[in-house]
Amino acid sequence: MFKKLRKPVQISGWYFYSLHLILLIFAAGLVYFLTGNRIDFPSLYFPESHIVTVAHRGASGYAPESTLSSYRLGIRMNADYIEIDVQETKDGELVAMHDKTVNRTTNGSGNIKDLTLEEVKSLDAGTWFNRKHPIYAREEYTREKVPTLREIFETFGTDTRYMLEIKDPEDYSDLEEKTWALVEEFGLKDYIAIQSFSKDSLVKIRSWDKNVPLFQLLWYNRPAHISEQQLADISGYANGIGVNFLRINENYVLKVKHAGLLIYPYTVNYQVNMENAAKWGVDGVHTDFPDRFKEVIEELDSLDS
């Protein structure tokens, strides 16, 4: 009997890994209990060396920007985020549109804030793209409509992450509140990041959730410079900055990262710029061509290995 007891116990691989999984879950729960912080598991999917790809208005180099086709293509190209510019119609509906007016990307005219959702939905949001980019033209793009933020969330759910830009909040009294309400309604708090040129908007959103990634957008008309004071100020409410790529250089990137902030420049579409951005150490890029950027990263990784 004692000989049997002394015989080594054979533990299956399944049991071994299951036990470790249970211990990992217990440890995560203990951290949550002790710190009172929500653990943002989706954010852990990005290793430190991973450069985030943001599909700028979707894969807008290949399809009409800010349409379901463009967003769908961005997801198919494995972008980490699809970028959505959020604006509000006259009757209070949130839609995806970059410009203040519908003039450039539809067959209509007028300010978004002065048009009802029904009026916006009556517009053709794709034919302009076929005319401008015949090499990528598709007949189905002529049937594209301006999507609402609700439609986008309903269509893609948790299949992607969303980089939401609060556009021109000075034109609307409740844009942040309505955007955040939809995020909560669809249970997407762990699948979004929010950016804006408006510090006030970001500070307001930070007061609602201390974990949501926030990016302060900046625009430079000349070679970029940012002071230590500016970086310290932004660090107080945001996780990073978005900045026009053509005005920055490697020193700017290093200075931002040294301040503990992420940097996602926009809009990086040419291979030489993609390579430079990656070599400078940016944390992510906004691009109209997510597939091209993925190829550049893979090529650089292969050269390093």
Side-chain angles (χ1 to χ4, degrees):
M1 175 180 175
F2 293 106
K3 289 182 179 179
K4 288 182 180 179
L5 290 175
R6 290 198 299 269
K7 184 178 179 180
V9 178
Q10 300 296 319
I11 300 176
S12 69
W14 179 90
Y15 178 84
F16 178 81
Y17 289 114
S18 296
L19 181 60
H20 278 71
L21 178 61
I22 291 171
L23 290 173
L24 179 61
I25 294 172
F26 175 78
L30 184 62
V31 171
Y32 179 93
F33 176 77
L34 293 175
T35 66
N37 293 327
R38 176 169 58 85
I39 300 174
D40 186 9
F41 285 105
S43 70
L44 301 179
Y45 295 161
F46 298 137
E48 206 170 301
S49 60
H50 178 82
I51 303 178
V52 172
T53 304
V54 181
H56 181 244
R57 307 175 203 169
S60 55
Y62 301 109
E65 67 181 67
S66 304
T67 64
L68 292 181
S69 287
S70 186
Y71 296 134
R72 189 174 287 113
L73 193 55
I75 295 169
R76 195 179 306 152
M77 291 178 175
N78 296 315
D80 299 301
Y81 285 92
I82 55 173
E83 190 236 4
I84 302 166
D85 299 295
V86 182
Q87 300 209 54
E88 191 172 338
T89 63
K90 183 179 180 179
D91 48 349
E93 296 295 331
L94 303 186
V95 294
M97 177 71 67
H98 175 268
D99 298 359
K100 285 190 175 188
T101 75
V102 299
N103 302 13
R104 181 175 61 86
T105 57
T106 76
N107 62 337
S109 62
N111 294 315
I112 284 283
K113 66 177 184 177
D114 298 327
L115 299 171
T116 66
L117 180 61
E118 182 179 4
E119 290 171 327
V120 172
K121 281 292 188 181
S122 70
L123 303 176
D124 171 356
T127 298
W128 71 272
F129 179 88
N130 287 347
R131 288 197 299 264
K132 186 174 181 180
H133 305 284
I135 189 173
Y136 299 123
R138 292 189 179 184
E139 197 278 330
E140 61 262 32
Y141 291 163
T142 63
R143 296 186 290 274
E144 282 292 344
K145 301 296 181 182
V146 176
T148 64
L149 186 58
R150 175 177 292 278
E151 286 173 328
I152 296 169
F153 286 169
E154 287 175 341
T155 301
F156 303 116
T158 57
D159 291 339
T160 188
R161 293 179 181 82
Y162 307 88
M163 179 70 74
L164 306 178
E165 180 173 346
I166 303 298
K167 296 288 291 187
D168 306 310
E170 65 277 2
D171 291 341
Y172 315 100
S173 61
D174 55 2
L175 187 57
E176 301 93 344
E177 286 82 358
K178 287 186 174 180
T179 300
W180 192 251
L182 271 181
V183 168
E184 290 190 314
E185 179 183 338
F186 283 87
L188 295 173
K189 287 171 68 174
D190 289 333
Y191 293 86
I192 65 160
I194 296 179
Q195 61 182 10
S196 182
F197 283 98
S198 169
K199 174 183 174 179
D200 290 343
S201 288
L202 296 178
V203 169
K204 181 186 292 188
I205 294 166
R206 175 60 75 223
S207 72
W208 301 334
D209 191 300
K210 58 183 170 57
N211 294 307
V212 59
L214 300 180
F215 290 83
Q216 176 66 61
L217 293 178
L218 303 171
W219 173 268
Y220 295 96
N221 290 316
R222 57 189 65 185
H225 170 76
I226 192 164
S227 68
E228 300 291 347
Q229 182 56 49
Q230 285 176 291
L231 290 169
D233 179 52
I234 293 171
S235 297
Y237 61 89
N239 303 87
I241 67 170
V243 58
N244 47 325
F245 176 80
L246 294 179
R247 297 300 185 185
I248 65 173
N249 56 29
E250 185 173 10
N251 288 335
Y252 185 96
V253 172
L254 293 175
K255 188 173 184 179
V256 171
K257 291 174 67 70
H258 183 71
L261 290 166
L262 301 172
I263 180 167
Y264 285 25
Y266 59 89
T267 304
V268 188
N269 286 336
Y270 297 104
Q271 182 172 343
V272 63
N273 291 337
M274 293 176 177
E275 291 177 355
N276 284 336
K279 290 175 180 177
W280 294 349
V282 302
D283 300 287
V285 302
H286 295 249
T287 179
D288 298 341
F289 302 96
D291 58 335
R292 293 183 189 176
F293 185 64
K294 292 284 188 180
E295 290 173 2
V296 166
I297 296 303
E298 288 175 6
E299 184 176 342
L300 291 175
D301 286 346
S302 67
L303 293 175
D304 292 337
S305 60

